[in-house]
Amino acid sequence: MKQELSRAFSDQINKEYFSAFLYLAMSNYFANNGLKGAANWTYVQYQEELAHAQNLVHYLHTRSESVTYAAIADPSGAWSSPLEVFEAVLEHEQLITESIGNLATLAMQTGDHAAYIFLQWYVTEQVEEEGNVNDLLDKLKLANGNTNALLMIDSQLATRAFTAPVVPGVGANA
Ligand code: OFO
């Protein structure tokens, strides 16, 4: 793998770990504000982000590349409502979508077909990530601050369970 691409993979890994940390901070916010379902949903998303990072790490190892880890920034936000949290989620995921897109473009430009194919899973995953958050935002906007509606949404969010993502090109020991 070209050094430039390997470095960009490492940057993406650090971004995925930041994503994990951000969702953990959001889960903490919801747990402290009586919304256990939303706390669960964001905690499951934290687990997903860890898997996103770890699958990228494993891929680099498979390619005999090493990862350069960076310090993770403080993820705390000054959120004052569930709507604000999920608006921040959408904004963040849009940045990640752009970042994954840039990484895939770089893989293509450096002629790394294998890395380009591997990254397609992440490209598709980002469509799902943004779609899920957009659905949630629509519901929260419909609820318009109504407590009963908010609690109903919260009970739906309580049902989300973590399933380890299966990323083609990454072995079972990832
Ligand atoms: Fe890893 O997809 Fe969200 O950030």
Side-chain angles (χ1 to χ4, degrees), residues 15-16 19 23 45 48-49 52 92-93 96 122 125-126 129:
K15 284 178 189 169
E16 299 290 346
S19 296
Y23 283 109
Q45 190 60 36
E48 275 214 5
E49 298 299 348
H52 292 173
H92 177 71
E93 288 304 339
I96 295 294
Y122 284 84
E125 173 72 3
Q126 281 310 117
E129 300 259 299

Side-chain angles (χ1 to χ4, degrees), residues 6-133:
S6 177
R7 263 199 232 112
F9 261 85
S10 277
D11 287 348
Q12 188 62 41
I13 287 163
N14 290 314
K15 284 178 189 169
E16 299 290 346
Y17 279 122
F18 174 77
S19 296
F21 213 30
L22 178 65
Y23 283 109
L24 200 54
M26 289 169 167
S27 181
N28 186 51
Y29 165 85
F30 287 124
N32 288 332
N33 284 279
L35 292 168
K36 287 192 175 155
N40 170 66
W41 194 96
T42 42
Y43 189 81
V44 170
Q45 190 60 36
Y46 152 74
Q47 292 173 296
E48 275 214 5
E49 298 299 348
L50 283 183
H52 292 173
Q54 282 156 359
N55 283 317
L56 286 164
V57 168
H58 189 71
Y59 183 73
L60 277 194
H61 289 165
T62 304
R63 297 284 305 269
S64 302
E65 297 289 330
S66 65
V67 184
T68 307
Y69 291 105
I72 301 175
D74 180 352
S76 356
W79 310 298
S80 59
S81 69
L83 187 65
E84 276 187 19
V85 175
F86 285 107
E87 279 170 347
V89 166
L90 181 61
E91 201 178 316
H92 177 71
E93 288 304 339
Q94 285 168 338
L95 287 175
I96 295 294
T97 299
E98 192 182 338
S99 177
I100 289 285
N102 290 340
L103 186 57
T105 302
L106 186 62
M108 195 162 46
Q109 285 167 347
T110 53
D112 198 320
H113 297 268
Y116 180 73
I117 291 168
F118 169 75
L119 287 167
Q120 297 317 297
W121 184 89
Y122 284 84
V123 171
T124 306
E125 173 72 3
Q126 281 310 117
V127 176
E128 192 187 310
E129 300 259 299
E130 287 194 32
N132 289 342
V133 183

Side-chain angles (χ1 to χ4, degrees), residues 36-38 40-41 135-136 139-140 149-161:
K36 287 192 175 155
N40 170 66
W41 194 96
D135 283 352
L136 246 171
K139 286 182 187 159
L140 286 170
L150 191 58
L151 290 176
M152 199 173 286
I153 295 169
D154 193 60
S155 64
Q156 288 169 358
L157 298 181
T159 62
R160 185 180 187 193

